[in-house]
Amino acid sequence: MTAVLPERSASPTVAVAEAPVRGTGAVDLLARLATAPGDRTAVIAGDDRLTFDELRAEAAAIAVRFAALGIGPESVVALCLPRGAALVTAIIGTLTAGAAYLPVDPALPADRRRYLVEDSGADLVVLDGTTASPVPGVRVVTAAELTGAPNGAPAPYEPVPVGADTLAYVIYTSGSTGRPKGVEIGRASASLLLAELESEGAASGEGRRVGWNASPSFDASVQQWIRLCRGDTLVMIDEETRRDPALLAGFVDEHSLTDLDITPSHAEPLLDLLTADGGPRPLTLLVGGEAISPALWDRFAAAHRAGLLRALNVYGPTECTVDSTAAWIDGPGEPHIGAVLPGLEMRLLDEKLAPVGPGEAGELYLAGPRVGRGYRRRPGLTAERFVADLAGAAVTPGGRMYRTGDRCRLRPDGSLVYLGRADGQIKLRGHRIELPEIEAALTRVPGVAEAAVILGEDAGGTACLIAYHRGGDATTLRAALSDALPTYMVPSAFVAVDRFATTPSGKLDRSALPTRPENPTETAPEETRVDDLDGNGLDGRAEELIARVWTQVLGAASIGPDDNFFKLGGHSLLAIKLVSRVRAELSVALPVKAVYAHPRLRDLAAHIEELLAARDV
């Protein structure tokens, strides 16, 4: 049920407020947005185009309607909208009203969407008109209602004035307690992020074209949309293009992108396609979300030296406003995450919170004005992770620092080397994942007595999640997790065990769990498998080829025509590998979306046969 909105009332007559922080001169994002040339294209989303004048007008209309609904500073508006022009105007409109936005990706499972809205205490939910309300009883409006032409004169673009610490957005991250937790970030922190990226040269030049590549539910998306506020054009990348390197490379060319945020896992297959023609490209890749391997680091450095592109390695927890450190990858050598950006200060501390010696490993703590406000409605967890900054007390009395849980080492040149986690959190394909959250979801499935999830490898050496479980069957577990968790948190392999090894103290011994299991149970025990690679059950050249490739990519002992790629542990990166092998062996342009559309071996093989027949006509 949607709310009935009143007709447009007069816009609040207020001035745009600046938000300087500790002498940095950072100005609130909307004050900067107001100066962007009105006729310049602000947003490109498929066939939709918005100029900056149109963006500001729609944002003002949204803010007026929000004000009529009592939405203002410290209100939280849940935006359950796909990536598109409507999402951009809703974000800017929410901030114009002085409120904060909570991104709720419509692609998330229904249970996850409901949890985000309920746990955050959102005051309003905005839908695209096709998605059901996540939580019955919470006020709901559609994007069309917010921007529809009401009676009266257009509202002037006058954002509600806010303070530096006024809430700007809430983004949820995986939780070590078994539930996601919402990170609260203030307006000045977001403004500082943009200013600091500019100071590093990552946003240099006028009128750049920035690809929005991240899910709105991840903090990397903030780094992308804030570029609007300096007058850059934001180009929305659709889901099909995001997950297919060939389509993404073509998209970069078609839209003349100058900036693209990407994870190392997805950058590697893209790199050859971006540089294959040997021509210079004014492209900057902001690479983050997971560690860069030495080999990939050297490839980026070589591309930089050849003038083909620039790559900036960025690191940072959501709690410290997206990016905390940055390093240009302009030469070979040891991968590192660079030095902290100006709005933050680093501390490398031991278990007793004492500074470690030069070159020694320590846990990274971050202090300064870009440290977030804390976890929404979680005072205990906030106190645990956002601790007193004793080292900076003389400069900022009462200051706090965030405990990242990341271990680092300081190099003589002042850059940091990332050494891994000090707890159960991992990064996989750019996603921050708390393994206890997946384990908690597993043990909520009836019949599961105990479960453990680790970061391991598939047969091809690709990082993946492996779930060990006592009780329950893999088919049921996979289905249950798919209903409760985002796709990237569903393990690729499930391994049934009779009992778990324990340490002398009686705790689960995770070191005893194989990182590459020999007998994963991805299918239910009673399911009959069709064998084998010698052709028994397989029909035709395409089916036999796909079976061979699946065996190499997935590491399955036997493959049959009715097997499902994703039920055998396939995921987006393995789909890319599969497509690359098919292209190499058959010289057929198989798009990644075909693997998702035809996950069963026989169906995919039939699709390939159709492509071959069309090619040979």
Side-chain angles (χ1 to χ4, degrees), residues 6-78:
E7 293 186 357
R8 175 176 295 181
S9 59
S11 177
T13 306
V14 295
V16 176
E18 293 189 357
V21 182
R22 286 181 58 178
T24 63
V27 177
D28 187 72
L29 293 170
L30 297 186
R32 296 195 61 182
L33 181 64
T35 66
D39 58 354
R40 178 183 291 173
T41 300
V43 181
I44 298 174
D47 295 331
D48 294 332
R49 299 288 191 276
L50 283 177
T51 65
F52 277 95
D53 273 344
E54 291 168 335
L55 172 63
R56 289 188 287 251
E58 289 199 15
I62 291 171
V64 168
R65 294 196 167 200
F66 279 165
L69 290 171
I71 300 298
E74 297 302 315
S75 299
V76 173
V77 179

Side-chain angles (χ1 to χ4, degrees), residues 58-131:
E58 289 199 15
I62 291 171
V64 168
R65 294 196 167 200
F66 279 165
L69 290 171
I71 300 298
E74 297 302 315
S75 299
V76 173
V77 179
L79 303 180
C80 191
L81 301 170
R83 276 195 311 281
L87 174 61
V88 179
T89 57
I91 289 174
I92 303 301
T94 301
L95 297 176
T96 301
Y101 80 94
L102 164 70
V104 181
D105 193 335
L108 292 173
D111 285 349
R112 187 83 163 194
R113 298 198 305 269
R114 180 172 60 252
Y115 174 82
L116 298 185
V117 173
E118 288 180 336
D119 186 74
S120 66
D123 301 282
L124 184 71
V125 177
V126 180
L127 303 174
D128 64 357
T130 62
T131 308

